[in-house]
Amino acid sequence: AAGVIQSPRHLIKEKRETATLKCYPIPRHDTVYWYQQGPGQDPQFLISFYEKMQSDKGSIPDRFSAQQFSDYHSELNMSSLELGDSALYFCASRPGLAGPQETQYFGPGTRLLVL
Amino acid sequence: GENVEQHPSTLSVQEGDSAVIKCTYSDSASNYFPWYKQELGKRPQLIIDIRSNVGEKKDQRIAVTLNKTAKHFSLHITETQPEDSAVYFCAASIDFNKFYFGSGTKLNVKP
């Protein structure tokens, strides 16, 4: 079965640079979540989208923004990168109206290293 | 917002023994409680979940119990095997909106 796709899988950036992470949800999933997981930490919810609209917001820094496009893929844009942004970034998707009782499924993650 | 606490942070058991991980949550509106297993550098994988209208759920060697009154839920793994070694996270959610994770339990199953 198709899973959540994230690209790139690994990314190395310098401080103050920008980065864009992409997430392609499971087909027919219209809800996307973004998480940041630092080393030895639990996943921290950043932001979520349902039907291309932001549905909830967590601990996302102002330097980050995200959106969901008409094909339901989502992009997390990160600017003025800091060393502390180095982490695993997970995207997860779930069906909204199509399957309201179904849980989220995680992508493989993007490992971001800021030097 | 919701606060999820998880204990213990590390757990070491002998192969074949049982393991129990406990979580508490603060928001009584939370109604969905998944448990994830995460291996190093990999994605969290759902192993079992429970909704607030159910007190207990079992899937082979894994079971979850929920006490809504006390606002705590627990993961029980019986007949542990070395491949059960991983970090386990509990989480709580209201209607599948944002998910709040516990701090994780590193389970080590010794052969």
Side-chain angles (χ1 to χ4, degrees), chain A residues 72-87:
Chain A
Y72 297 107
H73 94 273
S74 179
E75 295 183 5
L76 179 66
N77 299 294
M78 310 160 72
S79 63
S80 303
L81 286 168
E82 302 173 356
L83 297 179
D85 296 329
S86 296

Side-chain angles (χ1 to χ4, degrees), chain A residues 40-114:
Chain A
Q41 309 266 317
D42 56 288
Q44 293 287 312
F45 170 76
L46 294 178
I47 195 167
S48 61
F49 292 89
Y50 167 64
E51 277 293 336
K52 295 154 276 186
M53 299 281 288
Q54 180 184 308
S55 58
D56 223 327
K57 203 168 180 179
S59 51
I60 185 169
D62 292 340
R63 299 176 289 107
F64 294 6
S65 65
Q67 57 181 325
Q68 186 179 32
F69 294 86
S70 57
D71 63 351
Y72 297 107
H73 94 273
S74 179
E75 295 183 5
L76 179 66
N77 299 294
M78 310 160 72
S79 63
S80 303
L81 286 168
E82 302 173 356
L83 297 179
D85 296 329
S86 296
L88 255 177
Y89 289 83
F90 288 105
C91 168
S93 76
R94 63 177 289 269
L97 284 179
Q101 297 305 311
E102 195 169 344
T103 193
Q104 60 180 347
Y105 296 90
F106 283 84
T110 294
R111 184 174 293 280
L112 172 66
L113 178 60
V114 181

Side-chain angles (χ1 to χ4, degrees), chain A residues 33 37 56-57 101 103, chain B residues 32 38 43 51 96 98 102:
Chain A
Y33 307 82
Q37 187 175 27
D56 223 327
K57 203 168 180 179
Q101 297 305 311
T103 193
Chain B
Y32 175 67
Q38 188 177 31
R43 76 189 84 189
R51 296 166 210 267
F96 298 94
K98 58 176 90 174

